[in-house]
Amino acid sequence: MKALAVASGIVFWTLVLGVAWLAFFPGSGGEPVAVLQIEPAAAPTESAPESAPAPAESVPQATTDGMGLPPGFAVGPSGTAPMVTPPSPGQGGAPVMPMAPGGQLDTPAPPAAPDDATPPDDMDQQGAVPAGEPGIQQAAVDPAVPPPPPPGPESETASITLPAVPVAELIEESQYGPLPKVAADGRRPIDVYSRPSRYVVVPAGAPPRVAVLVTGFGLPDAPDPDVLKDLPAPVSVAYGAYGRGLQDGVTEVRAKGHEVLLQIPLEPNNYPTEDPGPHTLLTSLPPDENLKRLQWLMSRYTGYVGVTNHMGAKFETARESLLPVFEELKRRGLLFVDDGTVQGSAAPNIASALGLDYLAASVQIDAQSAGDIAKQLAELEAAAMQQGVAIGVASAKPATIKQLAEWAGKLQAKGIVIVPVSAAVRSQRQS
């Protein structure tokens, strides 16, 4: 029995020594064993993330078939990438990266970001690093470079198509007919029906601006609208509330690019000797009766940006009569242009208190002789240069309109812009 135990021990240790010999000194027969060379792991750089794999020396010792191997070694078929057994749960340490043939650590490349990947929090949608980051050159606005100059005078006379009328959202049906109103989304007749202008908001360094309102259409003995054919489109036109075919006339004028105002009759000092016409607003009437007359006047046609007066020397000085009228105009989104003929008018103070878009004319162009008209137009230019903007009111007489057209053609050379009345009123209000 003792001899058998000794023989068994000899056989066991012979097998153990044979396996060890084959492992470290392989012979020429059988499948060759791959012996891998491991280069020292590169020292981590400052930019390496904290989760980078540990150097090879720190990798826990792996085992194959129960036989211990030096750190960093693995055994596998020749020509294939050897694998390293990861540490068992609870053993600690970072996971071991696979090794490429030749002994280099095979670190997989980071996945490519998709095209619609969200940029990091510290980068904007253009991929720029926020200001202050070192090494980033950022474009800066040079305060010494002036802003572009405002558009030249010729830009206001371009061909523009005004919106067709009526606009349903701006119409209130009444017992008299359609009345203007502010749309549910806040749009006003002054905004929608006005001729567009670059000078509603005046840029710094803008040239002087003049506006001209031609009155007298839609009144007895009014000229044909064809007299306007030689006037630049920014010239505005006022239509009264009398006569036939008013809407056709307003539509024709607007088709030529002219914005329209409604001319309403107000009580003069010597009424009824001088009578502006039916439905004149009177100081002797209670406010509700004057509002009925005003609504009748406003219902005669659609497409106007606001109202201007026809006479009114007495009515405009009566604050208690004028206030309800201006409140109604404000409520309906209209402006008011005073022709400037009334001395001591309460209109400026009332309009300012209500926030009504309002401006009084600086010059009345009503003289009979050509010499007087030229003088008045020169006064209009001077007022615009002094105030920035000025309005002139002219009667619709063929001789006056002809001289207006000749004068308007020379404004560009003088550096003066002709603008619609609505632009003059709103720019003055915003300033």
Side-chain angles (χ1 to χ4, degrees), residues 177-193:
L179 296 177
K181 72 171 185 177
V182 178
D185 58 6
R187 289 178 299 156
R188 307 174 300 166
I190 183 178
D191 303 319
V192 178
Y193 295 144

Side-chain angles (χ1 to χ4, degrees), residues 153 199 202-203 205-212 359-365 375-393 407 411-412 414-420 424 427-428 431:
Y199 294 97
V202 183
R209 303 166 308 284
V210 296
V212 176
L359 192 60
S362 301
V363 178
Q364 292 75 46
I365 310 169
K375 180 181 178 180
Q376 291 158 355
L377 291 175
E379 293 175 357
L380 180 60
E381 294 177 16
M385 291 180 180
Q386 181 180 2
Q387 305 168 11
V389 62
I391 296 179
V393 176
W407 166 79
L411 287 178
Q412 180 179 345
K414 300 177 181 179
I416 299 176
V417 181
I418 186 167
V419 299
S427 65
Q428 189 72 3
S431 62

Side-chain angles (χ1 to χ4, degrees), residues 158-393:
S159 177
I160 294 176
T161 301
L162 301 183
V165 296
V167 175
E169 294 84 359
L170 302 179
I171 292 298
E172 174 188 322
E173 295 297 338
S174 73
Q175 59 179 326
Y176 309 110
L179 296 177
K181 72 171 185 177
V182 178
D185 58 6
R187 289 178 299 156
R188 307 174 300 166
I190 183 178
D191 303 319
V192 178
Y193 295 144
S194 62
R195 176 182 173 86
S197 171
R198 298 187 181 186
Y199 294 97
V200 172
V201 177
V202 183
R209 303 166 308 284
V210 296
V212 176
L213 178 63
V214 178
T215 66
F217 294 98
L219 299 176
D221 302 325
D224 190 277
D226 286 343
V227 299
L228 299 170
K229 65 180 184 300
D230 294 328
L231 285 179
V235 171
S236 302
V237 177
Y239 258 79
Y242 309 118
R244 298 179 179 178
L246 291 177
Q247 187 64 67
D248 292 339
V250 169
T251 300
E252 179 183 351
V253 167
R254 295 184 77 255
K256 297 177 180 178
H258 303 285
E259 66 182 18
V260 175
L261 281 77
L262 168 67
Q263 193 169 10
I264 62 173
L266 302 178
E267 182 182 1
N269 282 325
N270 56 350
Y271 181 84
T273 302
E274 188 175 18
D275 189 353
H279 294 84
T280 296
L281 276 61
L282 303 173
T283 57
S284 58
L285 296 176
D288 59 343
E289 183 62 32
N290 275 328
L291 290 181
K292 290 180 181 179
R293 294 190 171 200
L294 176 62
Q295 291 182 357
W296 184 92
L297 295 165
M298 289 192 298
S299 69
R300 296 304 89 194
Y301 54 86
T302 64
Y304 49 89
V305 299
V307 171
T308 188
N309 60 299
H310 177 48
M311 301 186 187
K314 184 174 183 178
F315 192 88
E316 282 198 27
T317 58
R319 176 181 175 84
E320 64 278 5
S321 298
L322 187 60
L323 176 60
V325 173
F326 275 17
E327 289 176 336
E328 180 75 353
L329 298 182
K330 169 71 174 180
R331 185 174 70 88
R332 296 190 177 277
L334 302 170
L335 59 81
F336 187 84
V337 173
D338 194 330
D339 69 3
T341 59
V342 178
Q343 300 294 324
S345 173
N349 291 336
I350 297 177
S352 177
L354 294 176
L356 175 68
D357 288 296
Y358 166 91
L359 192 60
S362 301
V363 178
Q364 292 75 46
I365 310 169
D366 282 330
Q368 299 298 320
S369 66
D372 289 341
I373 293 178
K375 180 181 178 180
Q376 291 158 355
L377 291 175
E379 293 175 357
L380 180 60
E381 294 177 16
M385 291 180 180
Q386 181 180 2
Q387 305 168 11
V389 62
I391 296 179
V393 176

